[in-house]
Amino acid sequence: MDITIILKQIKFYWFKIPISFRKFISAILIVLALFLLLDLAFPFKINIKYSTIINSSDSSVVHAFLSYDDKWRMKTEINEITPLLEKAIIFKEDKYFYYHPGVNLAAIIRAATNNILKQKRTSGASTITMQVARLLEPKNRTYFNKIIEMFRAFQLEMHFSKEEIFQMYLNIIPFGGNIEGVKAASILYFEKAPNHLSLAELTALSIIPNRPNSLVLGKDNAMIIKSRNLWLKRFEKAKLFPKQDINDALNEPLTASRHISPKSAPQYSFRLRRMFADKPNIYTHLDLKKQIKIENIVKNYINRLYSNNIKNASVLIIDNNTNSIITYIGSADFSNKEDAGQVDGIKAIRSPGSTLKPFLYALAFDKGLITPKLKITDVPVNYSGYEPKNYDSDYHGIVTVSNALINSLNIIAVKILNSYKTENFIKALKKVNFNQIRKDESKLGLSLVLGGCGVTLEELTMLYHAFANQGVFTDVNWLKSDTSNTGFNIISTESAYMLTEILTQVKRPDLPLEWQNSADLPKVAWKTGTSYGRKDAWSIGYNKDYTIGVWVGNFSSEGVQELSGSESASPLLFEIFNTIDYKSKNDFYEQPEKIDFRMVCSESGLIPNSFCKNLIIDAYIPEVSSTNICNHLKKVYISPDSTISYCTSCLPENGYIEAFYPNYKPEMITYYEKQQVKYIKIPKHNPKCERVFAENIPEITSPVNNVEYFVDKTDSTEIMLTCNAANDVNKVFWYVNDKFLKAELPTKSVFYKPQSGKIKISCTDDKGRNSNVYISVKMINF
């Protein structure tokens, strides 16, 4: 239909209306238009500054913070407003709340009439909406300000629902002092959320806002009970609640008093307040009961160690099923300022000791470099001047990979890292958010796997959480509203399974002391770590339900001789595990489909050769793990009296026999010789042989290739020459700048006084095999 026709019809019917009624409608439209213009010109800007509340998994208050204007003003959420609370407050304050547009004209006329007749203020006419407007914009009580208040009430009704306005009212009504809102009053006076208040308690609370400065809960309880009961009888008369509920409320004592605001999990709470600064109510996965229980365990544990000058501890617990933090203890005692109790040890950067080793082993499993039963030599090594030492300062000869990890042998870990490559390991650690390692990347070397880097307890616990999650790394869910992250694989499921099987074999500190209850104790895969200088003790464990990270030490970084991961941190780890997971279902990890088992030689851990007699079972990853054949024995042609060995070049036509000799690595022979360990030697080679051998050349272990040496001119400093040679070598020959220096046994050291400049050092064995290193020497005055 044409618009002009519509306008003509409107005009026709408009003038059919009586003129007095037309004036009335016009006046309404003008007032409405004026209101809309004023609403645009003077918008009601609402910015309520709430206290920040940290809530646990069951919505209990963990920690409460003052608002930025120093008020206890806690936001009551819609789901915390019970029908009981709503009915009582609306009946008492504004019976027609859901029927008026913000201003109750009938109530205003009634109040004005009473006040005029009695020549004093006997009753008010403010609706809940008007009270909200006045509390949001406090002004002196004048007629003009009352008009502004009414205008603001209309604005609130236009822009917000009745439920939102009622929620605002509950959040800002005064309860005396710096307490505002029903939730703040409920928690600080009754130590419970508003949706848990009884009829008697919420009625008592509703009395206070009318006289917030003269009635104080805990001080004026007798007067409050009198007013409370008066209103309960009014509720009864209006049949607002069942008679029995009213009688119970009338007989209920009032025990309310001012309580200290909740202050649990302080470091956790401060952290979440910073992370989610825009949220007044932060709902988390924290288990408050476990938090409080473990806080007491940690505090008591450190009290027992305090005489040893061990003063602090931090604990982080992740629920593997919900992928969330359920316990967060930053220090043993937050209130202990002397020992820096306010420090959050979970975020502090510390040396990890040996705790990164499991990750390296798992990565090496996936790379096919190792399997659990593979044998590796634990003897002195030198990597460009870096000579790692084991924690016990001893060497253990030939050991399996699994035993090396169980016993946390440093040298083998460095060997595996050297094979895997440091840059690859750094890349893997960066992928799982080790931030300090990302910053220090260019400075890190082989010592990284022994603790030569900076990590946090949070980063380590998250890493082990990935092991517990069968190799899948995920970020934790801080909030209950967060959905579980899908994550990504950092190691394969097969590698994670092999790693877990090894870590469950580590000897626990709670056994055999608790052997009677061993069936009820949780099964745990775990690893310890002790930093250089004994400044940090770590113990991190996991099973299908929980991942727990424990750090023990001093925030001052003071080293303590008695401090170690196994002795200082592990007892606390297992005390916590046995507290939160005692008599658990002990449902552990199932073997992945893609993992398999094979027989390997017990001497090497490799696929058996024809001469391998003793076989053991080893786990491996098909198409990934190495398929190298065992070579722990070497076939040698020898004379019948076993005094001379032959090669194929000098082998006589007859008069020889075949024999198998141990195929020791040169470094193992050097170790045996220095430790005076008897071993089977290959007879010396046929002196008449003219063949020059190419394999198994001697390895010069000192000096280090391409290293610059600074020598004092006035000193008689000499450089030590050492090498590792094969089992069939009886003598080596040393040369400096191609000039003969000395002949010596391969296990003996030779010393040389260097000259300034570039120097070539050569080592030739009695088979003619040769190796060279090059060094630079500078003479200086110290």
Side-chain angles (χ1 to χ4, degrees):
M1 186 181 292
D2 195 332
I3 188 68
T4 55
I5 297 174
I6 295 173
L7 291 174
K8 286 180 180 180
Q9 289 181 345
I10 292 173
K11 183 177 180 181
F12 174 77
Y13 288 111
W14 172 254
F15 285 105
K16 287 281 187 181
I17 299 172
I19 187 167
S20 58
F21 194 58
R22 289 205 308 266
K23 289 181 178 179
F24 176 73
I25 294 174
S26 299
I28 292 175
L29 292 174
I30 290 170
V31 170
L32 181 60
L34 181 62
F35 170 75
L36 293 175
L37 288 173
L38 289 172
D39 181 61
L40 290 173
F42 304 99
F44 200 170
K45 296 178 181 178
I46 298 173
N47 182 24
I48 303 174
K49 294 181 174 65
Y50 289 109
S51 302
T52 301
I53 308 300
I54 311 298
N55 299 277
S56 67
S57 57
D58 63 356
S59 298
S60 300
V61 177
V62 175
H63 200 110
F65 295 93
L66 284 166
S67 65
Y68 288 107
D69 56 349
D70 293 328
K71 301 284 188 180
W72 289 116
R73 189 186 297 115
M74 305 177 189
K75 185 176 181 181
T76 307
E77 300 290 356
I78 293 290
N79 60 3
E80 293 178 306
I81 304 173
T82 62
L84 194 71
L85 175 63
E86 183 179 9
K87 287 170 68 176
I89 295 295
I90 288 178
F91 180 85
K92 181 177 178 296
E93 294 295 328
D94 188 358
K95 295 178 185 178
Y96 302 101
F97 173 68
Y98 283 107
Y99 305 101
H100 60 67
V103 176
N104 189 336
L105 293 177
I108 291 173
I109 293 170
R110 185 198 69 242
T113 302
N114 288 337
N115 294 344
I116 292 170
L117 291 175
K118 297 181 180 181
Q119 296 296 307
K120 64 178 182 178
R121 189 176 184 274
T122 59
S123 64
S126 292
T127 62
I128 285 177
T129 312
M130 292 171 66
Q131 291 182 61
V132 170
R134 182 174 66 251
L135 290 169
L136 290 174
E137 285 187 349
K139 291 182 174 65
N140 294 328
R141 289 180 179 271
T142 65
Y143 289 112
F144 179 73
N145 286 340
K146 180 62 71 173
I147 293 171
I148 294 175
E149 184 181 303
M150 293 167 65
F151 169 70
R152 291 302 193 193
F154 285 128
Q155 284 184 299
L156 285 170
E157 293 281 346
M158 187 172 73
H159 293 289
F160 298 95
S161 68
K162 287 288 187 179
E163 290 76 14
E164 290 172 326
I165 294 169
F166 186 63
Q167 182 187 18
M168 281 188 226
Y169 174 76
L170 294 180
N171 285 331
I172 60 177
I173 49 175
F175 283 89
N178 64 341
I179 301 175
E180 294 184 5
V182 168
K183 186 170 184 175
S186 176
I187 288 171
L188 294 174
Y189 286 118
F190 293 101
E191 295 186 300
K192 60 178 75 173
N195 53 339
H196 293 150
L197 291 173
S198 68
L199 176 59
E201 289 168 338
L202 66 88
T203 305
L205 274 183
S206 70
I207 306 297
I208 309 301
N210 300 119
R211 298 168 60 188
N213 297 321
S214 58
L215 287 179
V216 180
L217 278 164
K219 181 181 177 183
D220 305 307
N221 283 5
M223 293 176 61
I224 294 170
I225 288 174
K226 185 177 179 181
S227 296
R228 179 199 73 181
N229 292 347
L230 180 64
W231 275 103
L232 285 171
K233 289 174 181 177
R234 290 177 182 174
F235 295 160
E236 181 181 15
K237 186 177 180 180
K239 297 181 179 180
L240 197 64
F241 302 108
K243 185 176 179 63
Q244 186 59 49
D245 292 353
I246 297 291
N247 289 335
D248 291 342
L250 287 167
N251 294 319
E252 184 177 316
L254 182 60
T255 58
S257 61
R258 180 69 162 84
H259 298 279
I260 298 172
S261 62
K263 297 293 182 186
S264 297
Q267 286 99 335
Y268 175 77
S269 300
F270 277 104
R271 179 172 182 178
L272 263 69
R273 187 193 190 195
R274 289 190 295 269
M275 289 173 64
F276 307 103
D278 59 330
K279 291 182 179 294
N281 281 313
I282 301 174
Y283 293 95
T284 74
H285 294 274
L286 195 81
D287 188 321
L288 187 55
K289 290 181 180 178
K290 285 187 174 69
Q291 175 76 22
I292 294 172
K293 182 181 291 186
I294 295 169
E295 279 180 359
N296 290 330
I297 289 174
V298 172
K299 187 173 183 178
N300 291 333
Y301 183 80
I302 290 301
N303 285 341
R304 297 197 295 271
L305 298 183
Y306 205 87
S307 60
N308 291 332
N309 201 32
I310 300 172
K311 301 178 179 179
N312 247 306
S314 302
V315 175
L316 183 65
I317 303 179
I318 298 175
D319 185 325
N320 296 331
N321 299 305
T322 60
N323 191 39
S324 56
I325 292 172
I326 61 168
T327 302
Y328 189 112
I329 300 172
S331 63
D333 184 0
F334 184 80
S335 61
N336 184 347
K337 294 182 179 180
E338 182 181 349
D339 298 316
Q342 290 77 32
V343 171
D344 186 351
I346 290 172
K347 295 173 63 180
I349 299 170
R350 320 289 299 191
S351 166
S354 297
T355 54
L356 293 177
K357 288 177 183 175
F359 190 30
L360 173 64
Y361 278 66
L363 292 168
F365 286 146
D366 280 332
K367 194 80 169 177
L369 298 176
I370 57 174
T371 56
K373 297 301 180 183
L374 179 70
K375 293 285 187 75
I376 302 180
T377 57
D378 180 41
V379 295
V381 291
N382 187 308
Y383 294 103
S384 300
Y386 175 55
E387 298 180 3
K389 298 287 189 296
N390 287 322
Y391 181 77
D392 60 4
S393 300
D394 201 358
Y395 304 98
H396 304 84
I398 302 173
V399 296
T400 63
V401 164
S402 58
N403 282 336
L405 182 54
I406 289 169
N407 294 292
S408 198
L409 300 180
N410 292 342
I411 292 172
I412 290 181
V414 172
K415 282 188 170 184
I416 294 173
L417 179 56
N418 187 58
S419 298
Y420 185 77
K421 302 303 179 187
T422 305
E423 58 270 24
N424 293 333
F425 191 41
I426 291 172
K427 184 177 179 181
L429 290 167
K430 287 165 56 181
K431 191 176 180 181
V432 291
N433 303 325
F434 278 76
N435 293 319
Q436 194 61 35
I437 287 176
R438 180 180 285 108
K439 294 176 182 177
D440 297 338
E441 180 177 358
S442 61
K443 307 173 187 177
L444 301 175
L446 291 173
S447 64
L448 164 66
V449 74
L450 306 184
C453 59
V455 303
T456 67
L457 178 59
E458 180 179 340
E459 292 167 346
L460 284 175
T461 309
M462 288 296 297
L463 176 62
Y464 280 67
H465 172 54
F467 301 158
N469 202 22
Q470 301 181 74
V472 177
F473 181 86
T474 56
D475 291 323
V476 292
N477 298 319
W478 290 97
L479 304 180
K480 288 189 75 173
S481 58
D482 291 343
T483 56
S484 296
N485 301 301
T486 54
F488 55 90
N489 278 88
I490 58 172
I491 55 174
S492 68
T493 305
E494 296 74 31
S495 178
Y497 177 79
M498 289 193 289
L499 179 65
T500 299
E501 286 295 295
I502 294 172
L503 295 181
T504 53
Q505 299 174 42
V506 182
K507 185 179 178 182
R508 295 168 55 147
D510 56 340
L511 296 172
L513 296 176
E514 297 284 347
W515 65 269
Q516 302 95 329
N517 305 317
S518 59
D520 296 325
L521 298 179
K523 189 174 182 180
V524 178
W526 63 294
K527 182 72 181 73
T528 63
T530 307
S531 68
Y532 180 77
R534 295 179 179 266
K535 299 176 181 179
D536 307 279
W538 307 85
S539 192
I540 305 176
Y542 64 90
N543 58 20
K544 290 196 78 171
D545 292 325
Y546 301 104
T547 302
I548 303 178
V550 171
W551 171 87
V552 175
N554 295 312
F555 289 140
S556 63
S557 294
E558 180 182 355
V560 179
Q561 186 60 35
E562 292 80 10
L563 188 71
S564 72
S566 58
E567 298 295 326
S568 306
S570 294
L572 178 56
L573 173 74
F574 281 94
E575 186 176 353
I576 294 170
F577 255 118
N578 296 340
T579 298
I580 69 172
D581 207 27
Y582 187 71
K583 287 190 175 181
S584 65
K585 55 188 176 182
N586 258 331
D587 180 25
F588 218 61
Y589 299 92
E590 296 181 0
Q591 178 187 319
E593 291 183 4
K594 292 184 180 180
I595 204 170
D596 209 343
F597 296 87
R598 64 188 179 189
M599 303 303 294
V600 296
C601 175
S602 63
E603 300 293 331
S604 65
L606 297 173
I607 295 174
N609 209 321
S610 58
F611 49 71
C612 298
K613 305 301 180 186
N614 300 316
L615 305 182
I616 56 175
I617 298 175
D618 189 20
Y620 78 105
I621 306 174
E623 299 182 3
V624 174
S625 300
S626 169
T627 56
N628 291 338
I629 306 298
C630 176
N631 61 349
H632 83 278
L633 293 179
K634 179 180 181 181
K635 185 167 70 173
V636 180
Y637 301 109
I638 61 173
S639 61
D641 60 359
S642 301
T643 59
I644 296 176
S645 62
Y646 305 101
C647 65
T648 54
S649 299
C650 65
L651 185 66
E653 293 184 2
N654 50 51
Y656 67 91
I657 59 175
E658 292 183 0
F660 283 94
Y661 282 82
N663 188 21
Y664 297 121
K665 292 184 177 180
E667 62 194 39
M668 202 69 218
I669 295 170
T670 302
Y671 171 73
Y672 284 152
E673 290 285 350
K674 289 186 176 181
Q675 297 296 317
Q676 297 182 345
V677 176
K678 291 183 178 181
Y679 66 97
I680 301 173
K681 296 183 179 181
I682 297 174
K684 67 178 181 179
H685 195 66
N686 180 10
K688 297 179 182 180
C689 181
E690 297 179 354
R691 176 186 172 187
V692 176
F693 293 81
E695 68 278 3
N696 294 327
I697 64 173
E699 177 191 0
I700 299 175
T701 56
S702 177
V704 178
N705 192 35
N706 294 323
V707 169
E708 189 173 35
Y709 289 83
F710 294 90
V711 179
D712 188 352
K713 289 180 179 179
T714 61
D715 196 4
S716 58
T717 302
E718 293 184 320
I719 293 177
M720 182 174 69
L721 312 181
T722 59
C723 71
N724 290 331
N727 192 8
D728 56 353
V729 174
N730 296 297
K731 188 172 289 188
V732 294
F733 305 89
W734 291 98
Y735 297 83
V736 176
N737 290 333
D738 298 325
K739 291 181 179 180
F740 177 72
L741 176 66
K742 189 176 183 180
E744 188 56 271
L745 295 174
T747 56
K748 296 291 184 179
S749 300
V750 172
F751 291 90
Y752 158 71
K753 184 169 178 58
Q755 301 297 319
S756 181
K758 292 186 177 180
I759 299 174
K760 173 186 176 184
I761 296 175
S762 308
C763 181
T764 304
D765 63 18
D766 52 16
K767 304 294 183 295
R769 297 170 292 201
N770 180 77
S771 61
N772 305 310
V773 297
Y774 298 86
I775 64 172
S776 178
V777 176
K778 284 187 177 181
M779 297 293 180
I780 59 174
N781 292 315
F782 284 98

